[in-house]
Amino acid sequence: MARMNIARNKSTKKPLARNKSAVQKSENQKAADGKKARAGGWGLELPKELLLEMHRLMVKSRVLEERLIKIYKAGEAYFWIGGPGEEAFGVPLGLLTKKGQGPEYDYLHLHYRCSPTMVALGMPMIDAIRLIMNRATDRCTGGRNFANHYCFPEWNVVPVSSPIEVQYTIAIGTAWAQRRRNGDSITIVSGGDAGTAEGDFASCLVWASRKGSELPMLITVQNNGWGISTPFQGQHGETHVADRGKAFNLKTMVINGNDPVESYVKIQEAMEYIRRERKPILMETMVSRLYGHSSADGLNRRPEEDCLELFEQKLIKSGLLTDSKAKAIWDEYEKEAREAQEQVRQEPPPSEESIWDHMFVDNENGDWRKF
Amino acid sequence: MANMAQAIRMALHYCEDHYALQDVFGEDVGAPLGGVFTATQGLKTAWNSPLDERGIVGMAIGIGLAGDRCVAEIQFVDYIFNTIDLLKIAGNTHWVSNGNYSLPIVLMTPVGAGIRGSIYHSHSFDAWATRLPGWKVVMPSNPLDAYGLMLAAVKDPNPVLFLKSKALMRVRGDELIPGEPEDEKTLKKMIDAPIGDRTGWNPQWPDVEEYVVPIGKAKVTRPGRCLSIITYGRNVLMCNQAADELHHEGFNVEVIDLRSLMPYDWETIRESVHRTGRVLFVNEDTEVTNFGEHLAYRVTQELFYDLLSRPRVLAGKNLPGIGLHPNLEEATVPQVRHIKEAALEIINEVP
Ligand SMILES: Cc1ncc(C[n+]2csc(CCOP(=O)(O)OP(=O)(O)O)c2C)c(N)n1
Ligand SMILES: [Mg+2]
């Protein structure tokens, strides 16, 4: 059971040295923030309902990912990649998104570790399971793409694409469309640390920061310390990826993505700034990678800090949650995930003829044999 | 009579006013230059992008995802190659999203040889372009078609690659765009920016009208009986000339301007080759794995028993580039004399 998984890993939760929070901003703002800063205690300075909601969604996302892994291990999927270990950052991100369709709402250019954000937006578990099991009912891709490659137009979640970093150059376009509308919507783009070596990351900084044409973008980098097997130190000279934003006069932040409270507060602060000022922020968030890179990587639990385990313990110790209530939440989602898998098993695979669907809009013929 | 650069400019102006075109952008596309070939001069939505082709294509994709209409430019197709994976994404967005997103974007870019452009201003892209499923690809040979295809491209809900032959940018056609003033000098005065200081200059657009060339429709530019030449872009002019010269020598050659490469007008090709029994495909891209080869393959599959000679493809030599000296360039990409030679060879082949 997923929850026992977490308990077993208790001994490994030593905080990572690189998980220091450092926000680079004006002295004025630092002083203002001081008042709301965490004053010892449990570090739970958010409304109780919100804390419990975040916990619930983090559990849901974790259970979903662990279900996807089980589906892969059972031979019912060809590949798994996902975001267990990124819940403390991804869930608040989803909760704070201005959710809707079209440029008046936020755009999300996500990568393949963003199930926590999708769950927070309201994605039913079964949609992720249809995707990993490549059913005809997979509404995101029609059985065409990998796990965690989501697409939800009603929430402006544009198709997740496998080539690393391309989302950073594509995101500037939705931000451009939002910029001219004078609303408060923003474009959010996410990716990993290693991928920032690609030119597309630099492209994003260049286009987002042009004087007089700044783009309303939250540019995030989920730094898990790895690019498959290559450690961060092996491919970066900069201390923090976020430091690269400084050369472009971007506001930058480095946050502890293993703390949902800090993440929520900092994302909220960043979004308020971007919505108001219509200017970009580069946010680097330190996260864990709990099951390795992908199914090609063994899928064993790694001895890294577990944000959900830490958060749940804090909630219990502070009296906001009880052991039995927590267990009930885990059990509820376990059941939902299991039942969803059982249902999806019964659903049809995509048909052979469907390969030609959606080559062009309105299914205009794309097969040259029929030109 | 407008040249192709002016025709594209007027088409984009029309699209700004009637098709909600919101962005025309790329390197040096905005004021004061209006594009290195002046195809975007004076347009109210034209702006200069950073010198970053990946950024240009990514920006276009993002604008399309948001549902706005844009025309982006890659300054020379020679510099499009580092964007290929983004072009693939644009082509697969509608398909991989199971129809959830469409991508109504236009990417235009000057292609081909003929302006003494040496290695990095002479590349062709038509063969590459046809290997980007999900894109429509058009390549006009005259100003009126450029106008009509641009309107079709901006209207189309799919990504459209608009390949414009560099060598045709200053070439005039023989048909007026509806609404275009008849006198060339009048047009120039109205829409060409003055040399020197351009601050305060504004174009006076003629009242051009809607004229759409449907994507996927070819045009017979020379009707004939003894050979079908299938071509596009600047090679149309060469093939027309070759056909005219052959006509004087007593050979009646048909020339088809494909205009659209994806989807292509198979019906027109089929009907023509069925009638003539002989076919030559002409284009400038490198000859190995060339788009003409695909068409020749299809001819052999579907019209094999109608053929009176082997189908031929006359294309650019399979070289890493096109050398600058005219001797080198002309030996590398098809010239009128090569087209005539190939045509006669095919016509004289005894089955
Ligand atoms: C352009 C490109 N190159 C290589 C790959 C293969 N690949 C997939 S994930 C990955 C590592 C990415 O690391 P990072 O950006 O840190 O993200 P993480 O997976 O750690 O979240 C690589 C090399 C790819 N998908 N795309
Ligand atoms: Mg990483």
Side-chain angles (χ1 to χ4, degrees), chain B residues 90-126:
Chain B
N92 73 31
T93 294
H94 186 64
W95 181 84
V96 82
S97 71
N98 204 26
N100 279 317
Y101 275 95
S102 57
L103 209 57
I105 64 172
V106 179
L107 191 62
M108 64 173 180
T109 181
V111 297
I115 60 157
R116 309 292 175 228
S118 114
I119 302 170
Y120 278 100
H121 298 80
S122 301
H123 268 100
S124 284
F125 199 66
D126 40 293

Side-chain angles (χ1 to χ4, degrees), chain A residues 234-292:
Chain A
Q235 48 187 334
H236 295 268
E238 71 272 36
T239 306
H240 284 291
V241 174
D243 293 340
R244 292 168 63 187
K246 292 178 189 168
F248 295 85
N249 296 310
L250 254 67
K251 201 165 142 72
T252 64
M253 294 171 147
V254 180
I255 71 167
N256 179 3
N258 277 341
D259 179 349
V261 176
E262 174 169 338
S263 292
Y264 190 95
V265 170
K266 295 299 178 192
I267 294 170
Q268 188 174 43
E269 178 190 317
M271 282 187 175
E272 274 169 12
Y273 169 87
I274 302 164
R275 291 189 200 290
R276 190 181 61 241
E277 302 294 326
R278 316 306 289 154
K279 286 186 178 159
I281 285 185
L282 173 56
M283 174 184 279
E284 177 177 357
T285 171
M286 314 309 276
V287 296
S288 297
R289 194 182 71 169
L290 293 181
Y291 285 89

Side-chain angles (χ1 to χ4, degrees), chain A residues 55-258:
Chain A
H55 170 261
R56 191 181 64 74
L57 292 166
M58 287 169 70
V59 173
K60 184 173 183 182
S61 177
R62 178 68 59 85
V63 170
L64 172 62
E65 285 287 19
E66 289 181 339
R67 173 57 48 183
L68 299 182
I69 290 171
K70 282 180 197 139
I71 290 171
Y72 171 80
K73 284 187 170 170
E76 293 186 62
Y78 295 105
F79 183 70
W80 172 84
I81 192 159
E86 298 201 5
E87 295 88 352
F89 175 75
V91 163
L93 183 66
L95 287 176
L96 287 161
T97 296
K98 186 180 170 193
K99 190 172 89 169
Q101 185 161 16
E104 316 298 336
Y105 298 91
D106 293 352
Y107 277 97
L108 289 142
H109 299 257
L110 303 176
H111 67 309
Y112 46 78
R113 302 212 190 276
C114 297
S115 46
T117 301
M118 295 308 305
V119 166
L121 287 173
M123 176 183 71
M125 281 184 170
I126 197 164
D127 283 336
I129 293 173
R130 288 172 169 141
L131 174 60
I132 195 174
M133 290 176 71
N134 321 125
R135 299 287 110 177
T137 49
D138 157 30
R139 47 158 300 175
C140 297
T141 81
R144 293 178 163 125
N145 214 342
F146 283 152
N148 262 298
H149 285 53
Y150 298 115
C151 170
F152 283 81
E154 67 269 43
W155 302 328
N156 282 345
V157 175
V158 306
V160 173
S161 209
S162 297
I164 296 294
E165 224 64 7
V166 292
Q167 67 273 26
Y168 287 84
T169 38
I170 293 172
I172 58 178
T174 54
W176 181 257
Q178 290 169 319
R179 179 180 173 273
R180 64 167 139 246
R181 280 172 172 79
N182 295 322
D184 65 351
S185 60
I186 67 171
T187 285
I188 298 154
V189 56
S190 78
D193 48 304
T196 62
E198 296 277 4
D200 290 325
F201 184 71
S203 286
C204 184
L205 299 182
V206 169
W207 289 68
S209 65
R210 291 186 300 148
K211 287 209 167 56
S213 301
E214 290 90 346
L215 298 178
M217 297 180 77
L218 176 59
I219 305 166
T220 75
V221 176
Q222 278 93 306
N223 185 346
N224 58 16
W226 297 99
I228 304 187
S229 68
T230 309
F232 183 86
Q233 287 76 11
Q235 48 187 334
H236 295 268
E238 71 272 36
T239 306
H240 284 291
V241 174
D243 293 340
R244 292 168 63 187
K246 292 178 189 168
F248 295 85
N249 296 310
L250 254 67
K251 201 165 142 72
T252 64
M253 294 171 147
V254 180
I255 71 167
N256 179 3
N258 277 341

